[in-house]
Amino acid sequence: MTNRSSPPSEHSIDSEPVDLGSTPQSLARAVHARRAEYVRPHKVRVKIGTWNIAACPGTDKDLASWLVAGGGLDKSFARMDLSRNTAVEHRRLKSTDGDADSVHLVGGNEIGLYVLGLQEVVDLSLTRDYVNRTVYTDNSPMDRWQGAIEAALPPGYQRIAAEQMTGLLLLIYASPEIAPTITNVSTKQVGTGVLGYFGNKGAVTTRIVLGETTRMVFVNCHLASGAGASYLDRRCWDVGQILSKTQFDPVVHSGVAEDDGEKIGDEDFAFWLGDLNFRLDGLPGEDIRRLLTLHTRGEYDLTSDKPSAPLDGEGVIVMKKNTDSDDEDDTTIPPSVHSAEQSFDSETSLPDPDDFPEDPSQDPTSLQATLDSLLPHDQLRRVIAQRKAFEDGWREGPITFLPSYKYDVGTVGLFDSSEKRRSPSWCDRILYRTRRDKMIHDKRIADEKAAKQKDEEMKSRGLEEDDDVLFSYNPDTDADDQAGGKPGLDYDEYDEAADSQDQAGEVVTKEGFVDRISQDIYTSHQRITSSDHKPIISVFTLEYDAVVPELKAKLHAEVARELDRAENEGRPGVTLVVEGNKDNDNAVDFGQVAFLERKTAVVMIANTSGVPATFSFVETPTTEESDCACLSWLKTFFIRPDEAMYDRLGRTVTLEPGETVLAHIEAQVSTIFHLRSLNDRQDKIEDVLVLRVEDGRDHFIPVRGMWLPTCFGRSIDELIRVPDGGIRKFVSDMGIKGTIPYDSDVHCSAPKELFKLTEAIQTLAERCVADEAMLEDLKLPQDPGWPLDASTWSAGLMEQDAIKAGIVAALDTDTSIFEAMPVELSSAHKLELLSAVLLLFLASLVDGLVPPHLWAKLSTCLPSLTSLPEAAWPDVKNQVLDVLSTAPNHNIAFVFLTSTVSRIASELSPATSADPSRSLSRRLSFRKSDDDGTRRRRVREKRYAEIMGPLAFRGNEKDRGMKEKERIVIEMFLRREADG
C-alpha cells in the first residue's frame, strides 16, 4: 500500500476547461471540472476472507493466524506458482507453525482494507434458539469477533463497518492511512430464510466510497443449503432477492446528497463473498471423495502397497464433536473406504512441489488436473452459463484449491467421515465485478434484445428464410450442440483484445476516474481446522485516484474567488453605508428604544457595478398566530438624496451605475403583543433586513437596539410594586429582567400610573369647559363619546406618536405629564392625547381591571343583568363590589377609574346649550341639572361604558350578550347616586 504524492496519474481524466467569463458555472461543477488537480494516484491492497464457522467454539482464536498473519496455507494443496506471487511471503527463518519454509499470505500493515464475512456465528440448530435469535438480537458474537480481529490487527486500524444479521457477520477495517478517506458508509440487511425473509439466510451488504472517487460494495451472504434441484432454484431466488431489496443511502459529496439511493450494480467495484452453498452435480459423491482423498494422502494409485501418509507429519486433531452445520437435506453417500485412521498413520510420500511442471493442469496426475475435471460440474458455473444468477458480469478467480466443504473438524484434508458422507463442494466463494463488467453485460443484453426484435420484424415481413444463407445459427439451442450436448458448458467466442482489457482491470468509475484492479491470489487455508468449512481468502490490488482534502480545499477556495469575480463583473451590485456607524459593520444601532418612540436610521445605497441595479427590501415572513404580524416594528422607504422626506420612492428602486439613494429605516414598538414580549425578555430589539438585488447578491443589514422597560403591557399586581421614581429606575436599581417578581414590596393600592392619567384627564376636562366658556372661538365636540371615542379626535392625532411617547416616558420616569406635552397645544387637543394614552394603558394591562376569574364570578351572580330595571342598579352595584373586594387592588383601580370618568362625563355634559353663562355656572357649582342635562349626561355615560367595557374586563370569547353585560356594569358605576 502506497501513497504517492506525485502529479496526477496519466490515467486520470484531464480537467475540463471552464470558461468563467461566458456562462455561469456552479461551484461544484467548476471544482469537479478541475478534479485532476486535487487527486493523486494511490494503491491499496484489499484482503477479503469468508468463513462458515458452523458455530464451532474456538474459531475466533484462529482468526489472527489466517486473516492477519496469512498462515494456514498448505503448499501441497495450493496448486499455483507461489514462488512468483506478490501476495505470498516466504519465511525461511524461525516459523511459528514449525515449518522451516512456511508460506504466508501478505497481511499485517501491508493491507489497507480488511473485509471479513462470517456465516453461522450462532448455532441455529435448535428450534427454540433459532426463534429467539430471529426475534431478539444477540450482539455477543459480534462483540467477540470484533475483539478478536482488533487484537490481531496492527495498531491504528479503524472499524469501518460491523453488522450482524442472525448468523451473518460482516466486519470491515481500514488502515490509519485509508480510514480517513472512507466516506458514505451504508450497510443494509436482506433476509431470505424461513418464510422468505428471516435472517438465518440472506446477506449483509456494505457500500463505501474510497477517496471520494471509488465506490465499493461488499456482500456477505449465506444462501439456501441442500443438494437437490429445488435447493439450487432457491439459491438463485435468494440471489435475486438480495439484489432487488438492497437499497443504500444516497451518496453525499461536499454536503450535497445525490437524488436517489444506490443499489447493487451502481458501484465501481463489487465483491460477493460467503457460503453460496453451490454443489457439484452429475458425479457420484463417493467418487469425488475417493479421488480427492488420494491427492490429500499423497497417493494417486489405490492399488499401491505403500502405507498411507499423514499430511506433513500431523495427526488428526479433533477439537469438537462433528456438527452437521445446516445441510440436513444432503444426499447420504456410502461410507468411504478411507477412514480417519487410515489417512494419518504413515509417513508422508508427497512429491516435491518443485518437481511439478509449470502448468500443473497439464499433468494428468496433478491435483489441478483433478480440480479442472470437477469444476465443469459446479452448480455456480452452470447457473451463470444458464443466466439464472450472477450472469451480469460477475467473475471468479481460478480455483486452484480443494473444495472448502465438508471436512471433519480438527483435521487437514479429511473429508466428511460422518454417517452422511457429504460430497465435497466449493460452497464458499469470493466473486467480484467491476463497473466495466456490468456495462459490458448490459450492452450485450441490449444488443441481443435489439437483434431479437429485428428478427421478429423480419419474420413479420416474411423474410425469415433466405435461400442465400448457407447456414443458420440459433444461440438458444445450438450452444448445447457445440458443447457436445452437455448442459452447463458455455462456449463464448474468444476476443483477444477484450480479454487483454479484462486482464488489465481498467475501469472508468462513476465519478469519471480511471481505476485498475487485479486479483493477486484466491485460495483457501487448509490448515485451519476449527470448522467443517475452510476459510477462503482473496487479495486484490486496487490502483485509484484519491482526493487529497488539502488540495481540494485550496482549489475550492480558488475557484470560488474566480467565480465570484467573474459573476460580479457582469452582475448588478450595490454598496451600502450606514450613516453614523462607527464600527464599519453596516449595522444599524438605534440605541435605547422606548414604547411608541420612533427611531430613524439612514443607509446610503450606491450602484457600484457597471449595469443598472434593481433592488428592494425583502418582506419578513409572518404568521397568523403572531399579533404583531400585521404591523412590523420596522419600516423602510427610499428617497432621493436631494428630495424631501415626503417625496418617497416606490418599494422597488432602480439605480443607474454611479447613482445613489437613501434608505430610511424606522423602528417603533407600537403593538401590545410585541410590547409584552419585550417586557418579559422573550424578544429583543433585533432583526436583520435583507436588501435583495435582482440578479445580484443579497445584502444583510443587522438592526439592534436596547429596550427601555415601561409600565405598559404589565399587570396590576406588578405595577403596585413600583415605588416613586418610575418603573425604569426601579427595574434598573433592582436588576430585574422581565416580569416584576410578586414577592417585591407593595407600594400602592392601585397603579400609580392610572392615578396620574385619570387625574390629568379630569383636570384637562375642567380646563376645556372653562376655555369653552371664556373663549368665543373654542367649541368643544358635542359627540357624547368625546374625548374617549377615537372617531371624535382631531385630525392627525393618531400620527402624533412623538407626543404620546413623551407621555409614556413621563409615566415610566414618574415625571410631570403636562410637561411632556407642548405648551402650544390647546386643552382639547391635550385631553384627546391623554385619553388615547389611557385607553392604550387599559388595553395593555395583562389581566385587565377585572381579571377573567372575577368576571366569571360576576357573570354567574348576575345572570339576568340585561333585563334588570335601572332602579335595581344600586343593589346590583353592591353585589359587584362584594365580588371585586376579593381582589382589593383590582377593586380600587376599577372604582377609582369609573368614579373619575363619571366626573368627567358630568363636566362635559352641559345643563342646557341655550345659555352659555348658565352652563358655566352649572358646571362649576355641580347643581342638579334639568331633565335635558340629565339626558345628555346619561347618553355620554352609556357611550363611555361601551368604549371602556371591552378594555376593563378580561375573559374568553365574548358574544353580544356578554358585551352588553360589560357595558351595564361600567354604566352603573358611572351613574351618579343622586340620579340612581
Side-chain angles (χ1 to χ4, degrees):
M1 179 177 55
T2 60
N3 179 4
R4 305 185 298 261
S5 296
S6 57
S9 169
E10 62 181 357
H11 304 295
S12 299
I13 295 180
D14 294 334
S15 299
E16 302 171 4
V18 181
D19 184 5
L20 299 177
S22 58
T23 58
Q25 303 281 337
S26 69
L27 180 59
R29 181 181 175 186
V31 172
H32 184 72
R34 296 174 59 179
R35 57 192 178 275
E37 298 181 37
Y38 58 81
V39 297
R40 292 294 181 267
H42 280 242
K43 180 185 291 186
V44 62
R45 270 181 163 163
V46 182
K47 192 171 190 178
I48 301 175
T50 178
W51 193 16
N52 186 326
I53 64 174
C56 293
T59 47
D60 55 315
K61 296 180 175 59
D62 288 337
L63 182 63
S65 62
W66 67 271
L67 180 67
V68 180
L73 290 180
D74 193 298
K75 292 182 292 184
S76 302
F77 303 152
R79 295 306 185 183
M80 62 180 69
D81 188 358
L82 299 179
S83 62
R84 290 192 293 269
N85 195 303
T86 58
V88 175
E89 296 179 347
H90 297 271
R91 305 180 181 180
R92 296 187 176 276
L93 301 177
K94 184 177 181 181
S95 175
T96 56
D97 55 12
D99 187 356
D101 192 15
S102 63
V103 175
H104 288 252
L105 292 183
V106 64
N109 55 17
E110 295 298 318
I111 300 296
L113 205 60
Y114 282 95
V115 181
L116 174 62
L118 300 173
Q119 303 85 44
E120 295 192 41
V121 297
V122 295
D123 187 359
L124 301 180
S125 59
L126 298 178
T127 303
R128 183 183 62 183
D129 291 345
Y130 168 71
V131 173
N132 289 338
R133 293 183 185 276
T134 55
V135 176
Y136 304 104
T137 302
D138 179 11
N139 292 326
S140 57
M142 182 168 65
D143 296 338
R144 184 175 71 254
W145 282 94
Q146 281 184 208
I149 191 173
E150 289 172 6
L153 290 173
Y157 276 72
Q158 299 180 26
R159 183 174 67 249
I160 303 301
E163 188 78 9
Q164 178 185 353
M165 182 183 73
T166 314
L168 279 169
L169 178 60
L170 178 63
L171 297 172
I172 301 177
Y173 283 80
S175 67
E177 178 190 352
I178 297 300
T181 69
I182 295 178
T183 57
N184 291 284
V185 180
S186 179
T187 301
K188 303 298 176 182
Q189 301 179 358
V190 175
T192 63
V194 178
L195 303 179
Y197 66 89
F198 275 101
N200 61 312
K201 293 294 189 292
V204 176
T205 308
T206 294
R207 188 274 321 278
I208 66 173
V209 177
L210 184 62
E212 297 187 29
T213 61
T214 303
R215 308 180 188 209
M216 306 178 73
V217 165
F218 302 94
V219 184
N220 176 28
C221 77
H222 194 181
L223 305 183
S225 59
S230 62
Y231 300 107
L232 175 61
D233 293 338
R234 181 54 186 260
R235 285 190 279 275
C236 295
W237 183 85
D238 288 350
V239 173
Q241 291 295 297
I242 294 169
L243 290 171
S244 62
K245 292 183 178 180
T246 302
Q247 181 78 26
F248 301 114
D249 300 330
V251 171
V252 178
H253 281 317
S254 301
V256 179
E258 295 181 350
D259 294 336
D260 301 316
E262 294 186 319
K263 301 179 70 67
I264 300 176
D266 296 331
E267 70 287 333
D268 301 318
F269 300 98
F271 304 88
W272 194 301
L273 55 139
D275 185 354
L276 277 63
N277 259 319
F278 288 107
R279 312 302 172 92
L280 293 175
D281 277 346
L283 293 175
E286 182 57 25
D287 290 350
I288 301 174
R289 289 166 47 80
R290 181 181 298 109
L291 184 61
L292 292 176
T293 301
L294 291 175
H295 285 285
T296 60
R297 297 178 60 203
E299 51 186 38
Y300 192 68
D301 185 5
L302 290 179
T303 62
S304 175
D305 294 334
K306 61 183 178 180
S308 301
L311 299 178
D312 290 353
E314 293 187 3
V316 179
I317 306 173
V318 180
M319 300 183 63
K320 70 183 288 282
K321 186 176 179 179
N322 179 53
T323 58
D324 292 339
S325 185
D326 58 0
D327 294 308
E328 298 300 330
D329 49 5
D330 280 1
T331 305
T332 302
I333 302 175
S336 172
V337 297
H338 301 283
S339 65
E341 291 79 5
Q342 290 175 326
S343 299
F344 301 101
D345 59 359
S346 61
E347 297 180 359
T348 179
S349 59
L350 291 176
D352 188 348
D354 296 335
D355 295 334
F356 288 165
E358 281 193 19
D359 186 358
S361 62
Q362 300 304 314
D363 182 0
T365 64
S366 69
L367 173 60
Q368 188 60 53
T370 300
L371 300 182
D372 291 342
S373 67
L374 296 177
L375 286 172
H377 300 274
D378 176 46
Q379 289 180 343
L380 176 57
R381 297 195 173 193
R382 186 177 59 175
V383 297
I384 293 177
Q386 295 175 349
R387 298 187 178 182
K388 291 183 177 181
F390 296 112
E391 79 281 0
D392 50 346
W394 292 95
R395 63 172 72 184
E396 185 180 25
I399 294 181
T400 60
F401 51 90
L402 289 172
S404 62
Y405 174 83
K406 175 184 185 349
Y407 296 85
D408 286 350
V409 175
T411 67
V412 178
L414 180 59
F415 294 99
D416 184 19
S417 63
S418 67
E419 181 180 352
K420 292 190 175 183
R421 292 290 197 270
R422 291 180 178 82
S423 175
S425 297
W426 284 281
C427 291
D428 307 279
R429 315 288 274 267
I430 299 176
L431 311 179
Y432 68 101
R433 180 180 66 185
T434 68
R435 183 176 183 83
R436 181 177 181 275
D437 296 331
K438 180 70 164 55
M439 294 175 66
I440 291 175
H441 166 266
D442 293 342
K443 184 178 183 304
R444 182 170 64 247
I445 295 299
D447 292 345
E448 291 178 359
K449 183 178 179 180
K452 184 177 181 180
Q453 183 177 359
K454 184 177 180 180
D455 291 344
E456 291 176 353
E457 291 177 356
M458 293 181 64
K459 289 181 180 180
S460 65
R461 295 163 56 188
L463 302 177
E464 66 274 18
E465 295 183 0
D466 191 342
D467 296 337
D468 295 333
V469 178
L470 299 179
F471 62 90
S472 60
Y473 172 71
N474 187 340
D476 295 333
T477 59
D478 295 349
D480 290 342
D481 296 339
Q482 291 189 19
K486 297 180 181 179
L489 300 180
D490 189 22
Y491 292 90
D492 292 327
E493 294 185 10
Y494 179 73
D495 186 343
E496 183 175 357
D499 184 72
S500 63
Q501 290 179 353
D502 288 346
Q503 294 299 323
E506 186 173 279
V507 176
V508 178
T509 69
K510 193 172 184 179
E511 300 294 334
F513 298 92
V514 178
D515 293 353
R516 294 178 180 272
I517 193 170
S518 61
Q519 188 177 33
D520 300 337
I521 198 167
Y522 181 39
T523 188
S524 65
H525 293 268
Q526 284 291 327
R527 290 193 173 274
I528 303 301
T529 61
S530 52
S531 171
D532 57 358
H533 289 251
K534 299 299 182 183
I536 303 297
I537 202 78
S538 185
V539 178
F540 295 87
T541 296
L542 174 64
E543 298 179 45
Y544 65 102
D545 287 332
V547 169
V548 180
E550 295 79 8
L551 296 178
K552 184 178 182 181
K554 182 178 179 181
L555 181 66
H556 187 280
E558 177 184 338
V559 172
R561 288 192 298 270
E562 293 177 0
L563 284 174
D564 188 58
R565 181 173 61 254
E567 291 180 2
N568 288 339
E569 290 176 355
R571 295 172 58 188
V574 297
T575 300
L576 278 61
V577 178
V578 178
E579 294 185 3
N581 182 278
K582 299 179 181 179
D583 298 332
N584 296 322
D585 57 355
N586 272 348
V588 174
D589 192 340
F590 287 114
Q592 295 182 336
V593 178
F595 183 47
L596 295 182
E597 182 182 16
R598 181 179 281 111
K599 291 290 189 76
T600 303
V602 178
V603 179
M604 186 181 70
I605 304 174
N607 183 356
T608 53
S609 66
V611 295
T614 301
F615 51 85
S616 62
F617 282 105
V618 178
E619 293 186 3
T620 304
T622 58
T623 59
E624 295 181 358
E625 292 79 4
S626 174
D627 292 342
C628 61
C630 301
L631 185 61
S632 174
W633 67 281
L634 279 177
K635 293 182 179 180
T636 60
F637 59 89
F638 299 103
I639 65 170
R640 297 287 181 182
D642 52 350
E643 295 179 356
M645 288 285 293
Y646 51 82
D647 293 329
R648 299 184 179 182
L649 303 175
R651 297 181 57 86
T652 302
V653 175
T654 300
L655 295 181
E656 294 297 325
E659 290 186 338
T660 61
V661 73
L662 299 181
H664 283 249
I665 303 174
E666 291 185 351
Q668 183 188 37
V669 177
S670 58
T671 62
I672 296 176
F673 178 87
H674 195 196
L675 164 72
R676 290 175 178 173
S677 63
L678 290 169
N679 280 341
D680 296 341
R681 292 297 181 95
Q682 296 178 358
D683 201 354
K684 296 180 180 180
I685 302 294
E686 288 182 358
D687 207 338
V688 176
L689 292 174
V690 181
L691 184 71
R692 177 148 299 166
V693 181
E694 295 183 8
D695 298 326
R697 69 180 184 90
D698 292 345
H699 294 263
F700 301 93
I701 307 175
V703 178
R704 55 179 178 259
M706 186 180 70
W707 174 245
L708 290 176
T710 179
C711 60
F712 284 71
R714 298 187 183 270
S715 66
I716 289 181
D717 289 333
E718 286 184 88
L719 295 178
I720 61 176
R721 289 168 167 79
V722 178
D724 294 341
I727 193 171
R728 291 185 186 175
K729 182 176 184 301
F730 174 64
V731 169
S732 177
D733 293 345
M734 300 298 295
I736 298 174
K737 299 183 182 301
T739 305
I740 298 175
Y742 285 0
D743 57 356
S744 302
D745 295 336
V746 176
H747 294 275
C748 304
S749 58
K752 185 177 179 180
E753 294 79 9
L754 182 61
F755 292 152
K756 295 183 65 174
L757 271 175
T758 53
E759 288 176 356
I761 291 175
Q762 182 179 346
T763 301
L764 280 174
E766 295 173 355
R767 180 56 184 257
C768 286
V769 172
D771 289 346
E772 183 185 32
M774 293 184 295
L775 302 176
E776 295 181 358
D777 57 345
L778 177 61
K779 185 68 173 179
L780 296 179
Q782 297 301 310
D783 190 286
W786 188 84
L788 299 182
D789 189 350
S791 64
T792 64
W793 293 341
S794 305
L797 183 128
M798 295 294 293
E799 289 74 29
Q800 293 184 354
D801 289 332
I803 301 176
K804 288 185 283 187
I807 298 173
V808 172
L811 294 173
D812 291 338
T813 57
D814 196 14
T815 57
S816 172
I817 293 179
F818 293 102
E819 293 180 0
M821 295 182 288
V823 294
E824 64 272 13
L825 291 180
S826 66
S827 57
H829 201 162
K830 292 179 180 180
L831 180 58
E832 290 173 350
L833 287 169
L834 286 181
S835 299
V837 174
L838 174 63
L839 296 178
L840 183 58
F841 179 82
L842 295 177
S844 70
L845 286 173
V846 174
D847 49 357
L849 288 178
V850 180
H853 69 281
L854 290 182
W855 179 236
K857 288 182 180 181
L858 288 175
S859 301
T860 304
C861 297
L862 307 172
S864 57
L865 184 61
T866 55
S867 61
L868 288 176
E870 293 186 7
W873 280 9
D875 295 334
V876 175
K877 185 176 179 181
N878 291 331
Q879 295 182 41
V880 173
L881 291 174
D882 289 340
V883 174
L884 294 180
S885 63
T886 59
N889 305 113
H890 289 269
N891 185 22
I892 294 173
F894 179 80
V895 171
F896 180 80
L897 175 66
T898 54
S899 62
T900 304
V901 174
S902 175
R903 289 193 292 271
I904 295 172
S906 298
E907 289 294 332
L908 297 178
S909 300
T912 177
S913 60
D915 186 358
S917 61
R918 184 183 175 186
S919 176
L920 174 61
S921 174
R922 163 68 189 89
R923 291 168 188 166
L924 296 179
S925 63
F926 296 100
R927 288 181 300 175
K928 184 176 180 180
S929 65
D930 55 13
D931 292 341
D932 183 63
T934 301
R935 184 184 61 80
R936 291 175 181 272
R937 189 181 72 250
R938 290 190 176 181
V939 172
R940 187 178 296 274
E941 289 170 351
K942 182 177 180 180
R943 182 60 185 140
Y944 283 0
E946 291 174 350
I947 296 172
M948 295 179 56
L951 304 178
F953 296 94
R954 293 289 187 272
N956 298 325
E957 294 295 330
K958 300 178 181 180
D959 54 17
R960 185 173 181 179
M962 190 65 68
K963 292 181 180 179
E964 183 65 14
K965 284 185 178 182
E966 293 174 350
R967 180 195 64 78
I968 293 174
V969 172
I970 295 289
E971 188 176 355
M972 72 172 59
F973 276 87
L974 296 181
R975 183 70 55 84
R976 291 196 312 174
E977 294 184 3
D979 297 334

